[in-house]
Amino acid sequence: MEEMMRSSGLMVLKWRLAVVMAEREMDYKELARRSGLHPVTVNKLKNSFSAPPRIDRNTLEKLCTALNCTPGDLIAMPEK
């Protein structure tokens, strides 16, 4: 899938939410509590390896505030 998206000209961004959560030793329930997001939403976002095609600015801000990070910590360019 990732190769197909690259060949079509789309760049696949890495979604690092699970990594950042692990670095902070925080599970999805705790992140949901701190961010005010629904636990199912947080769990779905955590289990994704590529950046969501669309993420609401408010959601991204809530995640960053709860994790004390920046959007750049959550979204990374793929290695070549």
Side-chain angles (χ1 to χ4, degrees):
M1 173 91 166
E2 191 171 315
E3 186 60 39
M4 193 168 62
M5 291 182 84
R6 280 194 190 131
S7 66
S8 69
L10 297 174
M11 182 178 296
V12 179
L13 300 174
K14 285 190 175 182
W15 181 239
R16 301 185 67 249
L17 179 59
V19 173
V20 174
M21 288 172 64
E23 290 171 352
R24 286 155 178 74
E25 299 179 356
M26 190 181 302
D27 68 6
Y28 78 95
K29 290 178 184 178
E30 179 63 17
L31 181 54
R33 188 187 68 74
R34 290 184 185 196
S35 67
L37 298 170
H38 195 280
V40 172
T41 300
V42 173
N43 198 40
K44 285 181 181 180
L45 289 170
K46 178 187 82 77
N47 291 322
S48 179
F49 293 104
S50 59
R54 287 183 287 181
I55 186 164
D56 182 75
R57 177 182 173 177
N58 189 40
T59 300
L60 188 58
E61 287 176 355
K62 286 179 178 184
L63 291 171
C64 288
T65 299
L67 291 165
N68 192 28
C69 69
T70 67
D73 295 326
L74 297 177
I75 303 169
M77 299 292 285
E79 294 101 25
K80 290 187 179 189

